[in-house]
Amino acid sequence: MGRFRLLLFRVTLMHSDEHQKSRRLNYDLEILYDLVKVHNINKIVLFFQDSEAFDGALLADIVEVICLWRDRIPFVCLFVIKTSVELFQEKLDRATIRRLRGALFQVAEINAASVFQAALAADSSRLFWLGPGLSRQILEAQHDSIQSMASFTRSLKYAYMTHFFANPLSALLGAPLPRDEIQGEMYECIRHLNSFAAYAESLLKVDEVQSVRRLLNDDNFLHRVVERELKTGKKALESLTTAVDVLWSIQAELHAKTTETWTTLYVKAMAGNMKDSPMVRETLLTVRKQSSDAMASLLDHLAHSPVPNVPILSEELRDLQNQNADSGPLRSEHGTNHDSLRTTVVAQKVQLSKHSSSLSKQDLSYSELVNRIDDTLRQYFEKAFIAPQELFLHEVLVFDLKSPHREVFAPRPRYAIERGLGSPRDYLGCECCKGAQHGLSSTQPATSLLYQLYLESGAIVNISDLWSAFYTIIGKGDDEDEDAEHESALFVAPFSVHGAFY
C-alpha cells in the first residue's frame, strides 16, 4: 500500500487548502474522489511494474478497496507479468479473481541499442556527438548491470548536460554569437586546444604563415574561422553518422554473414576505425556477389540515402532486367555460382583446379554495372568515414569525457568517504581548514580528526592514547578549558554509535 498512499499524499498536496478544511487523513480516498470530480478525470491508472514481487494478500486488499470505490473513482490496474498469467493467478484467491475484469496484451520491449540509436541518429539539428570512449562506457554499463530504460535514458541525458556544464566552449554550439558578446578568454581557450595546434600546422604545411599569425593575434579573424569550421565539422559528423546508417542498412538488407549492431558501428566510426576497415570491405564484397534481383532491392532501399547516383544506377539495372526478362536473375563475375572445381590426374596425382564458366553478354553488362555500384559505395564510405579526432574544434563537437559520467553512474562511495574524512576542506570549502590540507588542525571536524588519528595508529588502538592525542589537538593541552565537556562528547559520540565502548 506504500505506493497507493504516496499517490494519495501527492493528491493531498495538490489540494492542501481543501484538505485542511475537511481534516481528512492523507490516505483517505475521498481526496482522490474530489480530484476526479473537479478535473473530470476518466481514468486513474495504478501501475504495478513488478507484479510478481507483491504479496498475494496485499494485492487482494488493494483490489477489494478499489472495488468498493469503483462506482465513484474510475480505477484501472496495469499489471506487468513477466512469467505467465497462470502463475500470477495462483497468488490470488478466487474472490479477488472474480472482482477483476482483465485483458491480456503483449508489450514490445525497447532495448538500449534502439534508444541509443534514436538519440544519436543523424539529425541536422544536432549540436554535438558522443565520443567512442563515453559511448562504449554507457553501453557496457547497460550490458553489465542491465539497467532499466529510464536509467539508461538518464545516463544519456546526463552526458549531454555534462558537456554544456563542464565545457565552456560549448557556448559556441548554439546560435552564432556576435563578436562583442564573446569574452577574450574564450579565444585564448581555443588557441590552447590540441586541434587548434594541428590546424595551424596544416596551414604551415601549405605556406599559410600569414593566416596562422592572424589566428594567433586577431580575435576577429579567429571568430570567423571558428564559425566556418564549426559548420564544416557538423556537416562532416552528420555525414559520418549517416554513413553508419547506410552501412548498417546494407548489412541488414543483404543478411551479410558478418553483421554488427548500429551501436558497434557508431563507436568504431567515432573512433576513426571504419575507413578501409575489414567490415566495410566484407560488406562491399557481399554487395558484389548479389544477383540482379537482390541488387535491385538494395538500390531501392538506398533510394533516399545520400549515396550518389543511386537513381541512375537503379534505372540502368531495371533496363538490364527488362532485356533479360525471359531468363533468370543476372549474375555477376564475382558470384560463386560461376566457379567450379575441375579434377585432373597427372602422373597418378590428383590435381584440383578452379574453373570459371563463361558469362553471357547480359551477365557481362551486369558485372560492369556491379563494379560501378561497388566503386560508388566505396568512394562514398571513404569520404564519409573520417577520423573525428582530426577535425578542428573536435573538443567542442565531440564529448568523450568518461570521468564525470563514471563518478555519477558508477560511484565509489568508500573512496569518497575516505577522502571526505581525510580532506574535509575539499567538500566543506571552508577557509578555516585552509592551512591544514596535509595535517591535523583543531578547525577540522571531530570525526575527521579521529579518522586520521586512527589511520596513524596500529592494529590495536589504545583509547587513552587516542584521547590524549585528540584532546591535544582540540583542547591544546588545557585541562580547564570550558569546552572540555563538549570535546569529550565529540570524542565519545562516534564510538558510542558503533558500540565500541560496550
Side-chain angles (χ1 to χ4, degrees):
M1 300 289 285
R3 296 184 182 180
F4 200 57
R5 293 192 178 187
L6 178 61
L7 170 66
L8 297 178
F9 180 68
R10 291 176 178 174
V11 173
T12 304
L13 295 179
M14 295 170 61
H15 298 271
S16 57
D17 295 339
E18 299 178 4
H19 175 60
Q20 291 295 333
K21 294 178 182 178
S22 60
R23 299 292 182 183
R24 296 169 180 166
L25 298 175
N26 289 337
Y27 50 87
D28 194 339
L29 283 174
E30 287 287 349
I31 305 171
L32 186 58
Y33 176 56
D34 293 341
L35 180 68
V36 171
K37 292 191 298 182
V38 171
H39 297 281
N40 194 21
I41 298 175
N42 296 325
K43 294 288 187 299
I44 298 294
V45 180
L46 296 181
F47 178 63
F48 299 86
Q49 186 172 1
D50 194 1
S51 303
E52 286 87 347
F54 276 82
D55 182 68
L58 178 60
L59 285 175
D61 293 342
I62 294 177
V63 172
E64 182 180 1
V65 173
I66 290 175
C67 291
L68 294 176
W69 285 84
R70 64 183 178 182
D71 58 335
R72 287 159 287 178
I73 302 177
F75 280 114
V76 174
C77 295
L78 184 60
F79 297 98
V80 177
I81 303 175
K82 298 181 180 180
T83 53
S84 65
V85 179
E86 291 75 12
L87 292 177
F88 178 70
Q89 289 180 347
E90 290 179 359
K91 300 177 59 175
L92 306 175
D93 53 35
R94 294 182 178 180
T96 303
I97 295 177
R98 285 195 296 268
R99 292 191 179 102
L100 294 175
R101 290 181 296 175
L104 179 65
F105 58 93
Q106 300 290 335
V107 178
E109 185 178 358
I110 301 177
N111 54 21
S114 301
V115 176
F116 190 85
Q117 180 179 355
L120 298 176
D123 187 359
S124 58
S125 62
R126 183 171 304 285
L127 297 180
F128 71 96
W129 287 256
L130 295 184
L134 180 59
S135 300
R136 189 181 298 108
Q137 176 180 304
I138 294 175
L139 293 171
E140 288 178 355
Q142 171 65 20
H143 180 269
D144 296 339
S145 59
I146 314 179
Q147 301 173 353
S148 63
M149 284 300 103
S151 300
F152 183 72
T153 305
R154 284 195 297 269
S155 66
L156 290 176
K157 291 181 179 180
Y158 182 80
Y160 278 73
M161 182 195 71
T162 305
H163 183 58
F164 288 102
F165 278 89
N167 189 354
L169 295 178
S170 62
L172 302 171
L173 294 174
L177 297 175
R179 166 66 185 87
D180 54 355
E181 294 186 8
I182 301 179
Q183 299 177 352
E185 291 79 4
M186 183 76 74
Y187 297 108
E188 292 301 321
C189 290
I190 295 175
R191 292 187 177 102
H192 284 81
L193 296 177
N194 293 332
S195 61
F196 179 85
Y199 181 71
E201 290 178 1
S202 64
L203 293 177
L204 292 175
K205 291 180 180 179
V206 294
D207 296 332
E208 291 286 345
V209 180
Q210 187 63 28
S211 298
V212 175
R213 185 176 290 108
R214 294 184 64 185
L215 286 173
L216 294 173
N217 301 323
D218 190 352
D219 290 346
N220 293 323
F221 180 72
L222 179 59
H223 178 77
R224 294 192 296 270
V225 172
V226 166
E227 285 188 346
R228 183 190 67 210
E229 293 299 326
L230 281 177
K231 294 179 181 179
T232 303
K234 286 182 179 180
K235 291 181 179 179
L237 291 173
E238 288 174 11
S239 300
L240 183 143
T241 311
T242 306
V244 171
D245 294 337
V246 171
L247 182 61
W248 181 67
S249 62
I250 291 176
Q251 292 181 349
E253 181 70 19
L254 300 181
H255 304 286
K257 293 181 179 179
T258 304
T259 58
E260 296 284 357
T261 61
W262 189 94
T263 55
T264 302
L265 295 177
Y266 174 84
V267 171
K268 291 182 178 180
M270 292 302 295
N273 298 330
M274 288 300 295
K275 191 172 184 179
D276 297 330
S277 65
M279 176 61 61
V280 176
R281 292 197 299 269
E282 291 179 8
T283 303
L284 294 178
L285 179 60
T286 305
V287 171
R288 292 197 299 269
K289 293 180 179 180
Q290 299 305 308
S291 64
S292 58
D293 293 342
M295 188 66 72
S297 176
L298 176 62
L299 292 178
D300 291 340
H301 186 73
L302 298 177
H304 301 289
S305 69
V307 179
N309 302 325
V310 170
I312 299 175
L313 296 172
S314 180
E315 185 66 26
E316 293 183 14
L317 177 58
R318 194 174 295 109
D319 294 339
L320 287 176
Q321 287 179 313
N322 293 333
Q323 296 174 8
N324 197 52
D326 298 335
S327 310
L330 298 172
R331 306 290 180 179
S332 72
E333 60 185 359
H334 306 285
T336 58
N337 60 317
H338 293 292
D339 297 333
S340 60
L341 292 178
R342 177 176 296 177
T343 304
T344 57
V345 179
V346 179
Q348 297 182 353
K349 293 183 180 180
V350 178
Q351 295 181 352
L352 297 177
S353 60
K354 194 173 184 181
H355 175 71
S356 297
S357 60
S358 59
L359 298 175
S360 64
K361 183 178 179 181
Q362 291 81 4
D363 288 338
L364 289 174
S365 300
Y366 175 66
S367 299
E368 182 183 352
L369 179 61
V370 168
N371 292 333
R372 290 170 53 195
I373 294 173
D374 176 72
D375 293 338
T376 301
L377 290 174
R378 189 184 305 276
Q379 293 173 8
Y380 169 73
F381 287 134
E382 287 180 356
K383 182 179 179 181
F385 284 137
I386 61 171
Q389 296 78 10
E390 297 178 0
L391 290 175
F392 179 38
L393 298 175
H394 70 84
E395 296 90 347
V396 183
L397 296 171
V398 179
F399 177 62
D400 202 28
L401 296 179
K402 295 185 290 185
S403 56
H405 194 276
R406 186 190 301 114
E407 291 174 359
V408 172
F409 291 93
R412 294 180 296 171
R414 182 184 183 89
Y415 169 77
I417 293 173
E418 290 177 350
R419 181 183 174 186
L421 294 174
S423 303
R425 184 178 179 275
D426 294 345
Y427 291 85
L428 300 178
C430 56
E431 295 296 330
C432 57
C433 301
K434 185 175 182 180
Q437 296 185 15
H438 304 287
L440 300 175
S441 173
S442 60
T443 58
Q444 294 178 350
T447 307
S448 178
L449 290 175
L450 288 174
Y451 175 74
Q452 296 179 67
L453 291 173
Y454 162 75
L455 294 179
E456 296 176 359
S457 61
I460 300 176
V461 181
N462 189 308
I463 297 298
S464 176
D465 295 341
L466 185 63
W467 161 251
S468 301
F470 175 79
Y471 192 79
T472 301
I473 298 172
I474 294 294
K476 301 178 183 179
D478 188 0
D479 295 337
E480 297 181 359
D481 185 28
E482 59 181 4
D483 295 331
E485 184 178 353
H486 174 66
E487 294 159 1
S488 178
L490 290 177
F491 178 81
V492 174
F495 295 99
S496 59
V497 169
H498 297 285
F501 291 157
Y502 299 97

